[in-house]
């Protein structure tokens, strides 16, 4: 892909915004009905909220083809993987607004991420491509300050992500049922405290 193919570029989350470990930096490149999203760093539970919000807004605007450049993504935690899988499921289930097929391409995931996708039973939701053609990263705009999610938002997002992984692949139930139970209890406590 060339730089000329993109209408705008935006950085929606920067590693300077953190809870415990710094979240991934998400950069967006848009052209026509195609979205190219570069994920750099650690894709964790805090960056999963921004990712989920971003892709939901882009879907509502009619974008149907997503390329996720993972060449600089060092790892994904289970929450981010669950959010990504939920997005993959949405894309597989519904056609685009104009009747076109929706698609997600994961470009250049490292071996660890590729194995996690396979082991969690969600790799089939994506087209996984390894190629030398990375997305352009030299035109990133300055990051706007990020909004710190509430404890309740983070807990709800983590719970939904793990429930998604268990729904997509029943083999994940033994892996995540205790985590999901803990998160459900923690969410109840957070709601009671507010």
């Amino acid at each position: 892909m060339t730089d000329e193919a993109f209408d705008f570029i935006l950085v929606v989350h920067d590693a300077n915004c953190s809870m415990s470990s710094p979240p991934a930096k998400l950069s967006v490149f848009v052209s026509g009905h195609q979205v190219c999203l570069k994920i750099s760093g650690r894709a964790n539970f805090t960056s999963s909220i921004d990712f989920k919000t971003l892709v939901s807004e882009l879907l509502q605007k009619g974008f149907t083809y997503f390329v996720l450049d993972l060449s600089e993504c060092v790892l994904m935690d289970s929450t981010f993987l669950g959010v990504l899988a939920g997005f993959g499921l949405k894309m597989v289930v519904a056609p685009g607004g104009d009747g076109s097929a929706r698609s997600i391409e994961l470009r250049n995931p490292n071996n660890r991420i590729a194995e996690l996708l396979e082991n969690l039973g969600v790799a089939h939701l994506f087209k996984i491509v390894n190629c030398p053609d990375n997305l352009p990263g030299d035109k990133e705009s300055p990051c706007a300050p990020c909004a710190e999610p509430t404890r309740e938002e983070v807990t709800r997002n983590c719970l939904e992500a793990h429930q998604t992984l268990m729904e997509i692949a029943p083999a994940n139930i033994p892996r995540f049922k205790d985590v999901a139970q803990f998160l459900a209890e923690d969410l109840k406590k957070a709601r009671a405290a507010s």
Side-chain angles (χ1 to χ4, degrees), residues 2 27 37 46 88 110 115 123 127 130 135 152 160 167 171 184 193:
T2 65
S27 304
L37 177 62
T46 53
N110 64 33
E115 287 174 15
K127 179 181 178 185
N130 288 301
L135 301 179
E152 184 177 336
E160 290 171 359
E167 289 170 12

Side-chain angles (χ1 to χ4, degrees), residues 5 21 24 34 41 48 63 66 77 87-88 95 99-100 122 126 131 144-145 150 152 161 167 178 183-184:
S21 68
Q34 180 175 349
S48 70
F63 293 98
F66 289 76
D77 72 9
F87 176 52
S100 63
V122 299
F126 312 101
C131 65
T150 66
E152 184 177 336
E167 289 170 12
D178 291 338
L183 290 167

Side-chain angles (χ1 to χ4, degrees), residues 65-143:
Y65 189 80
F66 289 76
V67 176
L68 277 61
D69 180 353
L70 303 179
S71 59
E72 295 180 15
C73 182
V74 293
L75 71 89
M76 289 185 182
D77 72 9
S78 58
T79 298
F80 197 96
L81 284 162
V83 170
L84 180 62
F87 176 52
L89 200 56
K90 275 185 193 176
M91 294 291 283
V92 169
V93 170
D98 61 356
S100 63
R102 292 176 165 184
S103 180
I104 304 174
E105 178 181 312
L106 301 183
R107 190 171 288 184
N108 300 322
N110 64 33
N111 289 338
R112 186 174 181 186
I113 292 172
E115 287 174 15
L116 282 170
L117 292 166
E118 196 63 46
N119 291 338
L120 292 175
V122 299
H124 68 280
L125 299 172
F126 312 101
K127 179 181 178 185
I128 299 175
V129 176
N130 288 301
C131 65
D133 189 22
N134 291 333
L135 301 179
D138 58 342
K139 292 186 176 181
E140 294 177 2
S141 62
C143 176

Side-chain angles (χ1 to χ4, degrees), residues 149-157 187 190-191 194:
T150 66
R151 177 181 169 198
E152 184 177 336
E153 289 171 325
V154 170
T155 304
R156 183 177 48 252
N157 187 59
L187 185 58
R191 287 180 178 158
S194 57

